[in-house]
Structures are given as C-alpha cells and as structure tokens.
Amino acid sequence: MQKLTSVSEMQRVAEEMRLKGQIIGLVPTMGALHEGHLSLIRQMAETADVVVVSIFVNPTQFGPSEDFAKYPRELENDQRLCEEAGADVVFAPPVEEMYPKGYSTYVTEEFVAKPLEGATRPTHFRGVTTVVAKLFNIVRPHQAIFGQKDAQQVAVLQKMVDDLHLGVQIVVAPTLREPEGLAMSSRNRYLGNNQRAEALAIYQALKYATEMVAKGERRPDRLIAEATHILSQKRRVRVIYISIVDRKTMEPMREVEPGRSLMGIAAWVDETRLIDNVVL
C-alpha cells in the first residue's frame, strides 16, 4: 500500500493509474477509522481497480466553537486499518498542502445545503464541498463512496457533482450501526457508558417513526412529536433538530412519501453532537 502526503505526488500517481485504464475509487475520511469506514473501503474494492483512502481532518468544515482541535488523529493506526481492509493508496496531506498560505477559493452549494445541518452549522457544507472538490481534482476518481449516515452531505455532494459536471459517480453505502443500534461515528468515542445509553434514544426515535409509517402514519408533525417525546425522556440529550425532508433536496415535506421522505435528527448528548437519519 502506498502512503502519499503531497498533492503533486498524488496527482502523479492518479494520472499513472488513469493511463493504465484503472478505475479509481475514493473513500474520503477524516481518519479515526471505525468499522463503518472499513466497510466503505471493502465495498469500493468490489468495483474499483484501485482504492484510494484520503485521511484529512478538514479545518474548513468545523465552526469556531466545534471540536477541530480535539478531533481524534490516529494516522499510524488508520493506515494499518486501511491496508488490512484492502486500500491501495492512503493520501494523508498536511493542512498546508490542502490550504497553502493565501488560499481563498471555496465551493458552495446554495440550496440543498441550507436547511438542517446548514441552518445550525452555517459554514460546514462550504468546507465539505470545497475539500471534496479538491480531492476529486487531486485523486481524479471515477467513483467516490459516502455513508448514508451523512445523508445531507451525500445530497449536497451529488448536487455539486451534477451542477459542475464533475463526472464522479457518488456511491451511497447503508449506515453501519453498533449492535445496540447507535450509528457508527468517530465521535462515539467521546461518549461514556451513561452517555452512550442515552444516545441510543436517537435510533429508538427513528425506529419508532419508521414503524409508525409502516402502520400508515403520514403526518410529519405527528412523527416529529413522537420522536421529540422519546428524546425528551433522556436528561443528557438536547435536540438540535428533528425534521422530515425530501431525501434528495432536503426540503420539508408536508406528507410522508415512503421511500422519498427522510427523518433526520441532530442532538447533543452532553457535549457530543450526533446525527442520524432513516429513510421512512
């Protein structure tokens, strides 16, 4: 497995791969890898000739009071996990490679990125679209894979790819969950046992809403009220938002349309911010 840190070196290797006719698959990550990330690597290896994993804690997608400084950084262990999962290249640039002195160019998506995460983290998606656009230009992948847990991110990036004709296929993998139902996330390691137990209410609320829809409920306000009630029983959990939206546009829905509607939840569990969602 190759380990690359410079943009020019990654571009050179990517050009060599394309000249050989190899299909390049990209797995973008911020490191602190868990089984969810590793499943993306393994899935990408099924369709790509070469799997490139990027490991980069992207400063531009963190707000001023967010956890950029304490976000876990475990490059040596992450590289080992990548190799074991079948990655061919790890691209782990330092911040100054991606954002050199004087950097001032950003990519913004103006519609899908506005609600939900965009409303509560106003600079977040500008950072996401910028870094992913840069990775697409550096790695030149044919495919890039993302997890359904970050449903709005997937929708924003798909819109960016379509609008800018980037020619990258966005692959969406199902949310991987821990045995009790908690969506896998690098931030789960911040949770103590009591916090983890209360964080499970997020998945329980989503699951209950899914069951209600299966029984015929179609009123978003009713589903949101039930989910809010479940979360309100946990003293460590503070709801940021609970919304039912179109899974592609992120627009609020007046009535649930099975398969098209998505319930998204963001909540604080003490000082840890978690997100999760289900397609209803």
Side-chain angles (χ1 to χ4, degrees):
M1 185 184 75
Q2 291 181 277
K3 302 173 185 177
L4 308 178
T5 58
S6 78
V7 168
S8 60
E9 192 176 22
M10 183 69 248
Q11 287 176 316
R12 177 185 60 78
V13 170
E15 182 64 20
E16 290 174 356
M17 293 171 182
R18 280 190 166 251
L19 288 173
K20 292 176 184 176
Q22 294 176 311
I23 302 298
I24 302 172
L26 173 64
V27 184
T29 83
M30 292 206 301
L33 302 185
H34 51 69
E35 182 56 34
H37 296 112
L38 303 183
S39 71
L40 300 182
I41 297 171
R42 290 191 286 264
Q43 181 173 333
M44 185 54 74
E46 295 176 3
T47 57
D49 299 313
V50 179
V51 177
V52 178
V53 180
S54 64
I55 298 176
F56 179 65
V57 183
N58 177 35
T60 63
Q61 69 189 68
F62 289 80
S65 60
E66 294 181 358
D67 59 345
F68 175 71
K70 71 171 186 176
Y71 196 87
R73 292 161 171 83
E74 304 168 349
L75 182 58
E76 187 173 333
N77 185 58
D78 287 342
Q79 289 175 332
R80 178 184 60 79
L81 292 172
C82 285
E83 187 164 20
E84 292 173 356
D88 300 288
V89 179
V90 166
F91 175 51
V95 171
E96 56 269 21
E97 273 288 302
M98 296 296 280
Y99 300 105
K101 185 178 180 181
Y103 187 90
S104 60
T105 302
Y106 295 89
V107 177
T108 59
E109 191 286 318
E110 298 288 342
F111 181 72
V112 184
K114 290 294 185 184
L116 305 183
E117 292 295 285
T120 56
R121 305 174 71 193
T123 63
H124 173 67
F125 282 121
R126 185 183 80 153
V128 171
T129 47
T130 297
V131 78
V132 172
K134 287 172 70 68
L135 287 170
F136 286 177
N137 284 328
I138 296 165
V139 179
R140 299 192 60 204
H142 299 83
Q143 306 169 348
I145 191 167
F146 300 88
Q148 172 65 27
K149 184 181 81 71
D150 299 302
Q152 188 175 12
Q153 173 177 276
V154 168
V156 168
L157 293 175
Q158 185 64 68
K159 191 71 165 63
M160 179 185 77
V161 166
D162 292 343
D163 286 353
L164 300 182
H165 312 289
L166 296 181
V168 179
Q169 178 190 0
I170 300 294
V171 179
V172 185
T175 301
L176 221 61
R177 299 185 179 277
E178 298 183 11
E180 65 272 33
L182 189 65
M184 289 189 177
S185 168
S186 299
R187 289 184 169 94
N188 289 354
R189 65 185 62 196
Y190 298 160
L191 302 173
N193 290 337
N194 292 335
Q195 294 165 325
R196 180 177 291 266
E198 296 212 354
L200 293 177
I202 298 172
Y203 177 61
Q204 290 162 1
L206 292 169
K207 187 177 179 182
Y208 189 64
T210 303
E211 293 168 355
M212 290 178 68
V213 171
K215 293 176 181 177
E217 182 59 68
R218 296 292 182 268
R219 296 169 295 174
D221 57 346
R222 175 66 176 159
L223 296 167
I224 291 170
E226 290 295 333
T228 302
H229 175 71
I230 290 171
L231 291 171
S232 70
Q233 305 304 301
K234 305 299 181 182
R235 68 180 183 86
R236 297 177 184 273
V237 177
R238 305 188 310 281
V239 172
I240 301 168
Y241 63 75
I242 303 176
S243 297
I244 293 177
V245 297
D246 182 295
R247 63 186 296 190
K248 292 185 178 180
T249 67
M250 297 292 132
E251 292 180 286
M253 300 199 75
R254 295 182 178 179
E255 183 174 330
V256 169
E257 295 183 31
R260 178 183 169 193
S261 300
L262 176 138
M263 175 178 270
I265 295 178
W268 290 101
V269 180
D270 285 342
E271 303 305 316
T272 301
R273 191 182 193 278
L274 300 177
I275 61 172
D276 201 351
N277 67 83
V278 292
V279 177
L280 297 171

